[in-house]
Amino acid sequence: MSWFEEYFEFTEYRTNMKTEVLAGITTFMTMAYILFVNPAILSDAIGKEAFNSLVAVTALAAGISTIIMGLYAKKPFALAPGMGLNAYFAYSVVIGMGYDWRVALAAVFVEGILFIVLSVTKVRSAIIHAIPLSQKYAVGAGIGLFLTFIGLNDVGLLTAFVDESGVLKFTGFNVSALATKPIMLFFFGLFLAGVLITLRIKGALLISIITTSILGWITGAAPWPDHIFSTPNISYTFLKLDLQGLLNVGAIGVVFAFFMVDFFDTLGTVTGLSAKAGFLTKEGKVPDAEKVLLTDAIGTTFGALLGTSTVTTYIESAAGIEEGGRTGMTALVTGLLFLAVGLFIAPLAQAIPAFATAPALVIVGYYMLSAIRGVDFDDASEAIPAFLVLITIPYTYSIADGIGMGFISYTILKLFSGRGKEIHPLMYILTLIFIGYFAYLGGVF
């Protein structure tokens, strides 16, 4: 028996090297789209000149974090900069609120440190129990709509922008764009991804992005890449975070929003993946959960130092688990592929047009929106706050505003309907924090 087989306990999990390697490759295939999409989103806020650096940073953050997950937590879970959180970073914090991108990176870094502290203490469980389940579902679904909104806006089907005062301007659906070549290619990519997903083809989003891009290059809708490979360079964003810029009352809300979304997204993802892999105990607990959450927190902190938004555990890891991956060897293979491939494809990634990546945003939005099924719509005190979260996030371009609206409305409805006992004491504190946050944004103080 090799060192790998013994270290990752292949016998206990009834797996073998071939299965684990194939599972790792499968997970990478389903996640590789992030190498194209994350730089596209973040460069809208940081600057297009940062694109090449962001490709390398995305690959490094995903690769190293996933390798840590494999070697330390020994779970077949892969990590990368999170969808939704990167959109919040770019469109809400930087473009919407007007914070410099270096300050936004500092907020991600602080959030990561907080997550590390909570991962090794019992405070984490207190916060978990305080937030209503319906709010957790609603935030995930709201981010899904947010991503869909961004995808449609990227290709010009919707015309929306945040003005200098941070107000979202929405001018409606652009019917005249339907007959243009980029929009037709967008719908091709969208339906191709949909068909592949329906047929359960692995790597559907990546296949859609590459195929649509090639068609775009062939038809002249986008220029061909000058070359495919280059030497990685992360100097544009590496260690550029501005911690001093966080010494602002409004920035507290930014850190809090990053933390809340990452915290609950990670918990939900890890629980779901553990259930799929058969890791859950009879009590529903995740074995070595602290190691998994600590790895996730380290990934976020490390990613901020590199220059990317929050790193989180990816639900796409389920593809590798479906292929039989049960140990950290799966994650190790995925992480190594991110480093081997992602670090050197910046020119190719930069040539990927928006009409090829936008379908991926819409499909990821679809995946995330499905979380709303967990809300009890027969209970208005649960459903109305969830609905307010769902519409506030996309129509304010702010995940933080959506979370705040949900917490405040949930507390008010429960309290004034005589069901105050259902509110966790910590929810009152969180509600007051968001009331103060909104009062600050509104210029009350």
Side-chain angles (χ1 to χ4, degrees), residues 132 134-135 376 379-389 405-423 427-428 431:
S134 60
Q135 288 293 292
D376 181 7
D379 185 346
S381 68
E382 299 282 343
I384 291 176
F387 171 71
L388 291 176
V389 172
M405 180 64 73
F407 283 10
I408 293 171
S409 59
Y410 181 90
T411 301
I412 290 175
L413 287 182
K414 289 290 187 181
L415 191 60
F416 287 94
S417 62
R419 297 168 63 178
K421 292 182 179 180
E422 298 178 20
I423 305 173
M427 272 295 288
Y428 289 108
T431 297

PDB file of all heavy atoms in Angstrom, residues 132 134-135 376 379-389 405-423 427-428 431:
ATOM      1  N   PRO A 132     -32.466  32.430  11.416  1.00  0.00           N
ATOM      2  CA  PRO A 132     -33.562  31.545  10.978  1.00  0.00           C
ATOM      3  C   PRO A 132     -33.202  30.829   9.680  1.00  0.00           C
ATOM      4  O   PRO A 132     -32.542  31.383   8.804  1.00  0.00           O
ATOM      5  CB  PRO A 132     -34.728  32.517  10.745  1.00  0.00           C
ATOM      6  CG  PRO A 132     -34.370  33.751  11.495  1.00  0.00           C
ATOM      7  CD  PRO A 132     -32.880  33.841  11.479  1.00  0.00           C
ATOM      8  N   SER A 134     -35.055  30.056   7.237  1.00  0.00           N
ATOM      9  CA  SER A 134     -35.666  30.692   6.066  1.00  0.00           C
ATOM     10  C   SER A 134     -34.799  31.823   5.533  1.00  0.00           C
ATOM     11  O   SER A 134     -34.745  32.069   4.324  1.00  0.00           O
ATOM     12  CB  SER A 134     -37.059  31.232   6.420  1.00  0.00           C
ATOM     13  OG  SER A 134     -36.993  32.197   7.459  1.00  0.00           O
ATOM     14  N   GLN A 135     -34.098  32.526   6.421  1.00  0.00           N
ATOM     15  CA  GLN A 135     -33.224  33.613   5.991  1.00  0.00           C
ATOM     16  C   GLN A 135     -31.984  33.071   5.280  1.00  0.00           C
ATOM     17  O   GLN A 135     -31.495  33.659   4.318  1.00  0.00           O
ATOM     18  CB  GLN A 135     -32.810  34.458   7.196  1.00  0.00           C
ATOM     19  CG  GLN A 135     -33.923  35.323   7.752  1.00  0.00           C
ATOM     20  CD  GLN A 135     -34.327  36.410   6.775  1.00  0.00           C
ATOM     21  OE1 GLN A 135     -33.578  37.336   6.494  1.00  0.00           O
ATOM     22  NE2 GLN A 135     -35.536  36.293   6.242  1.00  0.00           N
ATOM     23  N   ASP A 376     -40.863  28.017   4.151  1.00  0.00           N
ATOM     24  CA  ASP A 376     -42.265  27.647   4.375  1.00  0.00           C
ATOM     25  C   ASP A 376     -43.155  28.828   3.987  1.00  0.00           C
ATOM     26  O   ASP A 376     -43.347  29.756   4.770  1.00  0.00           O
ATOM     27  CB  ASP A 376     -42.481  27.278   5.844  1.00  0.00           C
ATOM     28  CG  ASP A 376     -43.917  26.852   6.131  1.00  0.00           C
ATOM     29  OD1 ASP A 376     -44.702  26.728   5.171  1.00  0.00           O
ATOM     30  OD2 ASP A 376     -44.252  26.666   7.319  1.00  0.00           O
ATOM     31  N   ASP A 379     -46.269  30.085   6.091  1.00  0.00           N
ATOM     32  CA  ASP A 379     -46.053  30.907   7.286  1.00  0.00           C
ATOM     33  C   ASP A 379     -45.564  32.282   6.837  1.00  0.00           C
ATOM     34  O   ASP A 379     -44.410  32.456   6.462  1.00  0.00           O
ATOM     35  CB  ASP A 379     -45.013  30.246   8.194  1.00  0.00           C
ATOM     36  CG  ASP A 379     -44.824  30.990   9.515  1.00  0.00           C
ATOM     37  OD1 ASP A 379     -45.290  32.142   9.630  1.00  0.00           O
ATOM     38  OD2 ASP A 379     -44.182  30.420  10.425  1.00  0.00           O
ATOM     39  N   ALA A 380     -46.453  33.270   6.879  1.00  0.00           N
ATOM     40  CA  ALA A 380     -46.129  34.604   6.375  1.00  0.00           C
ATOM     41  C   ALA A 380     -44.974  35.248   7.130  1.00  0.00           C
ATOM     42  O   ALA A 380     -44.199  36.013   6.552  1.00  0.00           O
ATOM     43  CB  ALA A 380     -47.363  35.500   6.448  1.00  0.00           C
ATOM     44  N   SER A 381     -44.845  34.932   8.422  1.00  0.00           N
ATOM     45  CA  SER A 381     -43.773  35.540   9.215  1.00  0.00           C
ATOM     46  C   SER A 381     -42.398  35.025   8.786  1.00  0.00           C
ATOM     47  O   SER A 381     -41.386  35.654   9.083  1.00  0.00           O
ATOM     48  CB  SER A 381     -43.996  35.273  10.707  1.00  0.00           C
ATOM     49  OG  SER A 381     -43.832  33.897  11.007  1.00  0.00           O
ATOM     50  N   GLU A 382     -42.373  33.890   8.109  1.00  0.00           N
ATOM     51  CA  GLU A 382     -41.136  33.348   7.554  1.00  0.00           C
ATOM     52  C   GLU A 382     -40.979  33.752   6.086  1.00  0.00           C
ATOM     53  O   GLU A 382     -39.887  34.120   5.635  1.00  0.00           O
ATOM     54  CB  GLU A 382     -41.124  31.814   7.654  1.00  0.00           C
ATOM     55  CG  GLU A 382     -41.193  31.257   9.063  1.00  0.00           C
ATOM     56  CD  GLU A 382     -39.856  31.334   9.786  1.00  0.00           C
ATOM     57  OE1 GLU A 382     -38.824  31.516   9.122  1.00  0.00           O
ATOM     58  OE2 GLU A 382     -39.852  31.207  11.032  1.00  0.00           O
ATOM     59  N   ALA A 383     -42.094  33.680   5.355  1.00  0.00           N
ATOM     60  CA  ALA A 383     -42.049  33.865   3.905  1.00  0.00           C
ATOM     61  C   ALA A 383     -41.861  35.320   3.485  1.00  0.00           C
ATOM     62  O   ALA A 383     -41.122  35.610   2.537  1.00  0.00           O
ATOM     63  CB  ALA A 383     -43.316  33.298   3.270  1.00  0.00           C
ATOM     64  N   ILE A 384     -42.536  36.254   4.168  1.00  0.00           N
ATOM     65  CA  ILE A 384     -42.426  37.664   3.765  1.00  0.00           C
ATOM     66  C   ILE A 384     -41.000  38.190   3.937  1.00  0.00           C
ATOM     67  O   ILE A 384     -40.456  38.816   3.021  1.00  0.00           O
ATOM     68  CB  ILE A 384     -43.450  38.530   4.531  1.00  0.00           C
ATOM     69  CG1 ILE A 384     -44.868  38.185   4.060  1.00  0.00           C
ATOM     70  CG2 ILE A 384     -43.170  40.029   4.323  1.00  0.00           C
ATOM     71  CD1 ILE A 384     -45.966  38.914   4.808  1.00  0.00           C
ATOM     72  N   PRO A 385     -40.349  37.975   5.091  1.00  0.00           N
ATOM     73  CA  PRO A 385     -38.944  38.406   5.196  1.00  0.00           C
ATOM     74  C   PRO A 385     -38.051  37.740   4.148  1.00  0.00           C
ATOM     75  O   PRO A 385     -37.150  38.372   3.606  1.00  0.00           O
ATOM     76  CB  PRO A 385     -38.551  37.977   6.615  1.00  0.00           C
ATOM     77  CG  PRO A 385     -39.839  37.965   7.369  1.00  0.00           C
ATOM     78  CD  PRO A 385     -40.848  37.453   6.381  1.00  0.00           C
ATOM     79  N   ALA A 386     -38.320  36.458   3.865  1.00  0.00           N
ATOM     80  CA  ALA A 386     -37.534  35.757   2.848  1.00  0.00           C
ATOM     81  C   ALA A 386     -37.741  36.399   1.479  1.00  0.00           C
ATOM     82  O   ALA A 386     -36.796  36.594   0.702  1.00  0.00           O
ATOM     83  CB  ALA A 386     -37.922  34.280   2.800  1.00  0.00           C
ATOM     84  N   PHE A 387     -38.990  36.745   1.184  1.00  0.00           N
ATOM     85  CA  PHE A 387     -39.309  37.402  -0.089  1.00  0.00           C
ATOM     86  C   PHE A 387     -38.618  38.758  -0.189  1.00  0.00           C
ATOM     87  O   PHE A 387     -38.096  39.129  -1.247  1.00  0.00           O
ATOM     88  CB  PHE A 387     -40.820  37.571  -0.213  1.00  0.00           C
ATOM     89  CG  PHE A 387     -41.248  38.417  -1.378  1.00  0.00           C
ATOM     90  CD1 PHE A 387     -41.123  37.941  -2.680  1.00  0.00           C
ATOM     91  CD2 PHE A 387     -41.764  39.686  -1.179  1.00  0.00           C
ATOM     92  CE1 PHE A 387     -41.506  38.735  -3.766  1.00  0.00           C
ATOM     93  CE2 PHE A 387     -42.144  40.470  -2.253  1.00  0.00           C
ATOM     94  CZ  PHE A 387     -42.019  39.992  -3.549  1.00  0.00           C
ATOM     95  N   LEU A 388     -38.589  39.497   0.907  1.00  0.00           N
ATOM     96  CA  LEU A 388     -37.938  40.809   0.900  1.00  0.00           C
ATOM     97  C   LEU A 388     -36.435  40.677   0.654  1.00  0.00           C
ATOM     98  O   LEU A 388     -35.836  41.507  -0.034  1.00  0.00           O
ATOM     99  CB  LEU A 388     -38.206  41.535   2.227  1.00  0.00           C
ATOM    100  CG  LEU A 388     -39.652  41.986   2.443  1.00  0.00           C
ATOM    101  CD1 LEU A 388     -39.821  42.605   3.828  1.00  0.00           C
ATOM    102  CD2 LEU A 388     -40.076  42.984   1.370  1.00  0.00           C
ATOM    103  N   VAL A 389     -35.832  39.642   1.206  1.00  0.00           N
ATOM    104  CA  VAL A 389     -34.422  39.380   0.922  1.00  0.00           C
ATOM    105  C   VAL A 389     -34.243  39.096  -0.563  1.00  0.00           C
ATOM    106  O   VAL A 389     -33.338  39.623  -1.224  1.00  0.00           O
ATOM    107  CB  VAL A 389     -33.902  38.173   1.744  1.00  0.00           C
ATOM    108  CG1 VAL A 389     -32.490  37.798   1.296  1.00  0.00           C
ATOM    109  CG2 VAL A 389     -33.917  38.484   3.223  1.00  0.00           C
ATOM    110  N   MET A 405     -32.411  43.803   5.377  1.00  0.00           N
ATOM    111  CA  MET A 405     -33.857  43.873   5.205  1.00  0.00           C
ATOM    112  C   MET A 405     -34.526  42.619   5.740  1.00  0.00           C
ATOM    113  O   MET A 405     -35.577  42.669   6.386  1.00  0.00           O
ATOM    114  CB  MET A 405     -34.194  44.051   3.722  1.00  0.00           C
ATOM    115  CG  MET A 405     -35.682  44.136   3.415  1.00  0.00           C
ATOM    116  SD  MET A 405     -36.464  45.585   4.154  1.00  0.00           S
ATOM    117  CE  MET A 405     -35.785  46.878   3.085  1.00  0.00           C
ATOM    118  N   GLY A 406     -33.899  41.474   5.501  1.00  0.00           N
ATOM    119  CA  GLY A 406     -34.460  40.219   5.985  1.00  0.00           C
ATOM    120  C   GLY A 406     -34.458  40.121   7.497  1.00  0.00           C
ATOM    121  O   GLY A 406     -35.469  39.760   8.108  1.00  0.00           O
ATOM    122  N   PHE A 407     -33.344  40.465   8.126  1.00  0.00           N
ATOM    123  CA  PHE A 407     -33.244  40.382   9.582  1.00  0.00           C
ATOM    124  C   PHE A 407     -34.231  41.328  10.265  1.00  0.00           C
ATOM    125  O   PHE A 407     -34.918  40.958  11.220  1.00  0.00           O
ATOM    126  CB  PHE A 407     -31.821  40.722  10.027  1.00  0.00           C
ATOM    127  CG  PHE A 407     -30.830  39.611   9.809  1.00  0.00           C
ATOM    128  CD1 PHE A 407     -31.160  38.488   9.065  1.00  0.00           C
ATOM    129  CD2 PHE A 407     -29.556  39.677  10.353  1.00  0.00           C
ATOM    130  CE1 PHE A 407     -30.254  37.465   8.857  1.00  0.00           C
ATOM    131  CE2 PHE A 407     -28.638  38.652  10.160  1.00  0.00           C
ATOM    132  CZ  PHE A 407     -28.987  37.554   9.407  1.00  0.00           C
ATOM    133  N   ILE A 408     -34.287  42.558   9.773  1.00  0.00           N
ATOM    134  CA  ILE A 408     -35.176  43.556  10.396  1.00  0.00           C
ATOM    135  C   ILE A 408     -36.636  43.152  10.244  1.00  0.00           C
ATOM    136  O   ILE A 408     -37.411  43.182  11.210  1.00  0.00           O
ATOM    137  CB  ILE A 408     -34.925  44.951   9.777  1.00  0.00           C
ATOM    138  CG1 ILE A 408     -33.528  45.449  10.152  1.00  0.00           C
ATOM    139  CG2 ILE A 408     -35.991  45.947  10.252  1.00  0.00           C
ATOM    140  CD1 ILE A 408     -33.110  46.714   9.426  1.00  0.00           C
ATOM    141  N   SER A 409     -37.029  42.762   9.031  1.00  0.00           N
ATOM    142  CA  SER A 409     -38.436  42.408   8.801  1.00  0.00           C
ATOM    143  C   SER A 409     -38.813  41.134   9.557  1.00  0.00           C
ATOM    144  O   SER A 409     -39.932  41.033  10.083  1.00  0.00           O
ATOM    145  CB  SER A 409     -38.696  42.226   7.298  1.00  0.00           C
ATOM    146  OG  SER A 409     -37.868  41.212   6.742  1.00  0.00           O
ATOM    147  N   TYR A 410     -37.907  40.193   9.649  1.00  0.00           N
ATOM    148  CA  TYR A 410     -38.184  38.959  10.383  1.00  0.00           C
ATOM    149  C   TYR A 410     -38.443  39.265  11.856  1.00  0.00           C
ATOM    150  O   TYR A 410     -39.424  38.783  12.445  1.00  0.00           O
ATOM    151  CB  TYR A 410     -37.001  38.004  10.253  1.00  0.00           C
ATOM    152  CG  TYR A 410     -37.199  36.678  10.960  1.00  0.00           C
ATOM    153  CD1 TYR A 410     -37.773  35.595  10.309  1.00  0.00           C
ATOM    154  CD2 TYR A 410     -36.809  36.502  12.294  1.00  0.00           C
ATOM    155  CE1 TYR A 410     -37.953  34.376  10.954  1.00  0.00           C
ATOM    156  CE2 TYR A 410     -36.990  35.296  12.949  1.00  0.00           C
ATOM    157  CZ  TYR A 410     -37.565  34.235  12.272  1.00  0.00           C
ATOM    158  OH  TYR A 410     -37.750  33.036  12.916  1.00  0.00           O
ATOM    159  N   THR A 411     -37.587  40.075  12.438  1.00  0.00           N
ATOM    160  CA  THR A 411     -37.734  40.416  13.859  1.00  0.00           C
ATOM    161  C   THR A 411     -39.035  41.167  14.118  1.00  0.00           C
ATOM    162  O   THR A 411     -39.760  40.880  15.077  1.00  0.00           O
ATOM    163  CB  THR A 411     -36.535  41.266  14.325  1.00  0.00           C
ATOM    164  OG1 THR A 411     -35.324  40.526  14.113  1.00  0.00           O
ATOM    165  CG2 THR A 411     -36.658  41.617  15.795  1.00  0.00           C
ATOM    166  N   ILE A 412     -39.353  42.127  13.254  1.00  0.00           N
ATOM    167  CA  ILE A 412     -40.569  42.922  13.428  1.00  0.00           C
ATOM    168  C   ILE A 412     -41.821  42.056  13.295  1.00  0.00           C
ATOM    169  O   ILE A 412     -42.746  42.135  14.132  1.00  0.00           O
ATOM    170  CB  ILE A 412     -40.612  44.079  12.404  1.00  0.00           C
ATOM    171  CG1 ILE A 412     -39.541  45.115  12.748  1.00  0.00           C
ATOM    172  CG2 ILE A 412     -41.996  44.732  12.374  1.00  0.00           C
ATOM    173  CD1 ILE A 412     -39.419  46.233  11.728  1.00  0.00           C
ATOM    174  N   LEU A 413     -41.891  41.235  12.264  1.00  0.00           N
ATOM    175  CA  LEU A 413     -43.083  40.419  12.038  1.00  0.00           C
ATOM    176  C   LEU A 413     -43.298  39.412  13.164  1.00  0.00           C
ATOM    177  O   LEU A 413     -44.434  39.214  13.621  1.00  0.00           O
ATOM    178  CB  LEU A 413     -42.980  39.696  10.699  1.00  0.00           C
ATOM    179  CG  LEU A 413     -43.151  40.557   9.442  1.00  0.00           C
ATOM    180  CD1 LEU A 413     -43.064  39.697   8.189  1.00  0.00           C
ATOM    181  CD2 LEU A 413     -44.490  41.281   9.469  1.00  0.00           C
ATOM    182  N   LYS A 414     -42.226  38.779  13.597  1.00  0.00           N
ATOM    183  CA  LYS A 414     -42.349  37.810  14.684  1.00  0.00           C
ATOM    184  C   LYS A 414     -42.759  38.498  15.979  1.00  0.00           C
ATOM    185  O   LYS A 414     -43.628  38.020  16.725  1.00  0.00           O
ATOM    186  CB  LYS A 414     -41.013  37.071  14.884  1.00  0.00           C
ATOM    187  CG  LYS A 414     -40.649  36.101  13.788  1.00  0.00           C
ATOM    188  CD  LYS A 414     -41.548  34.878  13.776  1.00  0.00           C
ATOM    189  CE  LYS A 414     -41.060  33.844  12.777  1.00  0.00           C
ATOM    190  NZ  LYS A 414     -41.937  32.648  12.717  1.00  0.00           N
ATOM    191  N   LEU A 415     -42.142  39.649  16.251  1.00  0.00           N
ATOM    192  CA  LEU A 415     -42.384  40.350  17.501  1.00  0.00           C
ATOM    193  C   LEU A 415     -43.811  40.856  17.598  1.00  0.00           C
ATOM    194  O   LEU A 415     -44.489  40.673  18.618  1.00  0.00           O
ATOM    195  CB  LEU A 415     -41.393  41.518  17.635  1.00  0.00           C
ATOM    196  CG  LEU A 415     -41.316  42.208  18.990  1.00  0.00           C
ATOM    197  CD1 LEU A 415     -40.907  41.216  20.074  1.00  0.00           C
ATOM    198  CD2 LEU A 415     -40.331  43.369  18.938  1.00  0.00           C
ATOM    199  N   PHE A 416     -44.296  41.485  16.514  1.00  0.00           N
ATOM    200  CA  PHE A 416     -45.619  42.104  16.563  1.00  0.00           C
ATOM    201  C   PHE A 416     -46.752  41.142  16.204  1.00  0.00           C
ATOM    202  O   PHE A 416     -47.919  41.546  16.206  1.00  0.00           O
ATOM    203  CB  PHE A 416     -45.652  43.331  15.644  1.00  0.00           C
ATOM    204  CG  PHE A 416     -44.894  44.501  16.199  1.00  0.00           C
ATOM    205  CD1 PHE A 416     -43.579  44.713  15.856  1.00  0.00           C
ATOM    206  CD2 PHE A 416     -45.495  45.382  17.100  1.00  0.00           C
ATOM    207  CE1 PHE A 416     -42.855  45.776  16.379  1.00  0.00           C
ATOM    208  CE2 PHE A 416     -44.790  46.447  17.633  1.00  0.00           C
ATOM    209  CZ  PHE A 416     -43.466  46.651  17.274  1.00  0.00           C
ATOM    210  N   SER A 417     -46.423  39.906  15.917  1.00  0.00           N
ATOM    211  CA  SER A 417     -47.469  38.904  15.716  1.00  0.00           C
ATOM    212  C   SER A 417     -47.565  37.988  16.926  1.00  0.00           C
ATOM    213  O   SER A 417     -48.222  36.943  16.884  1.00  0.00           O
ATOM    214  CB  SER A 417     -47.180  38.082  14.457  1.00  0.00           C
ATOM    215  OG  SER A 417     -45.954  37.383  14.575  1.00  0.00           O
ATOM    216  N   GLY A 418     -46.900  38.403  18.007  1.00  0.00           N
ATOM    217  CA  GLY A 418     -46.969  37.642  19.242  1.00  0.00           C
ATOM    218  C   GLY A 418     -46.125  36.393  19.260  1.00  0.00           C
ATOM    219  O   GLY A 418     -46.360  35.480  20.066  1.00  0.00           O
ATOM    220  N   ARG A 419     -45.131  36.335  18.380  1.00  0.00           N
ATOM    221  CA  ARG A 419     -44.291  35.137  18.308  1.00  0.00           C
ATOM    222  C   ARG A 419     -42.829  35.479  18.606  1.00  0.00           C
ATOM    223  O   ARG A 419     -41.901  34.912  18.037  1.00  0.00           O
ATOM    224  CB  ARG A 419     -44.423  34.506  16.919  1.00  0.00           C
ATOM    225  CG  ARG A 419     -45.848  34.038  16.644  1.00  0.00           C
ATOM    226  CD  ARG A 419     -46.067  33.675  15.179  1.00  0.00           C
ATOM    227  NE  ARG A 419     -45.239  32.564  14.745  1.00  0.00           N
ATOM    228  CZ  ARG A 419     -45.290  32.036  13.510  1.00  0.00           C
ATOM    229  NH1 ARG A 419     -46.151  32.519  12.626  1.00  0.00           N
ATOM    230  NH2 ARG A 419     -44.490  31.046  13.178  1.00  0.00           N
ATOM    231  N   GLY A 420     -42.660  36.424  19.508  1.00  0.00           N
ATOM    232  CA  GLY A 420     -41.322  36.871  19.866  1.00  0.00           C
ATOM    233  C   GLY A 420     -40.450  35.784  20.444  1.00  0.00           C
ATOM    234  O   GLY A 420     -39.216  35.852  20.359  1.00  0.00           O
ATOM    235  N   LYS A 421     -41.067  34.740  21.021  1.00  0.00           N
ATOM    236  CA  LYS A 421     -40.286  33.650  21.605  1.00  0.00           C
ATOM    237  C   LYS A 421     -39.507  32.871  20.548  1.00  0.00           C
ATOM    238  O   LYS A 421     -38.554  32.154  20.865  1.00  0.00           O
ATOM    239  CB  LYS A 421     -41.206  32.693  22.371  1.00  0.00           C
ATOM    240  CG  LYS A 421     -41.826  33.306  23.631  1.00  0.00           C
ATOM    241  CD  LYS A 421     -42.683  32.290  24.368  1.00  0.00           C
ATOM    242  CE  LYS A 421     -43.282  32.889  25.638  1.00  0.00           C
ATOM    243  NZ  LYS A 421     -44.133  31.906  26.362  1.00  0.00           N
ATOM    244  N   GLU A 422     -39.931  33.003  19.289  1.00  0.00           N
ATOM    245  CA  GLU A 422     -39.250  32.286  18.209  1.00  0.00           C
ATOM    246  C   GLU A 422     -37.974  32.998  17.754  1.00  0.00           C
ATOM    247  O   GLU A 422     -37.218  32.461  16.952  1.00  0.00           O
ATOM    248  CB  GLU A 422     -40.203  32.122  17.012  1.00  0.00           C
ATOM    249  CG  GLU A 422     -41.441  31.292  17.325  1.00  0.00           C
ATOM    250  CD  GLU A 422     -42.376  31.194  16.134  1.00  0.00           C
ATOM    251  OE1 GLU A 422     -41.910  31.419  14.991  1.00  0.00           O
ATOM    252  OE2 GLU A 422     -43.568  30.893  16.339  1.00  0.00           O
ATOM    253  N   ILE A 423     -37.776  34.209  18.275  1.00  0.00           N
ATOM    254  CA  ILE A 423     -36.603  34.991  17.877  1.00  0.00           C
ATOM    255  C   ILE A 423     -35.451  34.706  18.825  1.00  0.00           C
ATOM    256  O   ILE A 423     -35.578  34.868  20.043  1.00  0.00           O
ATOM    257  CB  ILE A 423     -36.914  36.506  17.902  1.00  0.00           C
ATOM    258  CG1 ILE A 423     -38.138  36.817  17.046  1.00  0.00           C
ATOM    259  CG2 ILE A 423     -35.715  37.315  17.409  1.00  0.00           C
ATOM    260  CD1 ILE A 423     -38.595  38.263  17.165  1.00  0.00           C
ATOM    261  N   MET A 427     -30.544  37.546  17.461  1.00  0.00           N
ATOM    262  CA  MET A 427     -31.173  38.190  16.299  1.00  0.00           C
ATOM    263  C   MET A 427     -31.534  39.643  16.597  1.00  0.00           C
ATOM    264  O   MET A 427     -31.493  40.501  15.702  1.00  0.00           O
ATOM    265  CB  MET A 427     -32.416  37.427  15.873  1.00  0.00           C
ATOM    266  CG  MET A 427     -32.146  36.307  14.886  1.00  0.00           C
ATOM    267  SD  MET A 427     -31.520  36.901  13.283  1.00  0.00           S
ATOM    268  CE  MET A 427     -32.996  37.651  12.612  1.00  0.00           C
ATOM    269  N   TYR A 428     -31.887  39.937  17.846  1.00  0.00           N
ATOM    270  CA  TYR A 428     -32.182  41.328  18.213  1.00  0.00           C
ATOM    271  C   TYR A 428     -30.936  42.194  18.048  1.00  0.00           C
ATOM    272  O   TYR A 428     -30.998  43.327  17.550  1.00  0.00           O
ATOM    273  CB  TYR A 428     -32.680  41.401  19.665  1.00  0.00           C
ATOM    274  CG  TYR A 428     -34.062  40.830  19.881  1.00  0.00           C
ATOM    275  CD1 TYR A 428     -34.246  39.630  20.555  1.00  0.00           C
ATOM    276  CD2 TYR A 428     -35.193  41.512  19.412  1.00  0.00           C
ATOM    277  CE1 TYR A 428     -35.514  39.104  20.762  1.00  0.00           C
ATOM    278  CE2 TYR A 428     -36.469  40.984  19.615  1.00  0.00           C
ATOM    279  CZ  TYR A 428     -36.622  39.781  20.282  1.00  0.00           C
ATOM    280  OH  TYR A 428     -37.871  39.270  20.477  1.00  0.00           O
ATOM    281  N   THR A 431     -30.242  42.652  14.388  1.00  0.00           N
ATOM    282  CA  THR A 431     -31.221  43.588  13.828  1.00  0.00           C
ATOM    283  C   THR A 431     -30.852  45.030  14.152  1.00  0.00           C
ATOM    284  O   THR A 431     -30.904  45.919  13.286  1.00  0.00           O
ATOM    285  CB  THR A 431     -32.634  43.275  14.373  1.00  0.00           C
ATOM    286  OG1 THR A 431     -33.029  41.968  13.953  1.00  0.00           O
ATOM    287  CG2 THR A 431     -33.659  44.291  13.864  1.00  0.00           C
TER     288      THR A 431
END
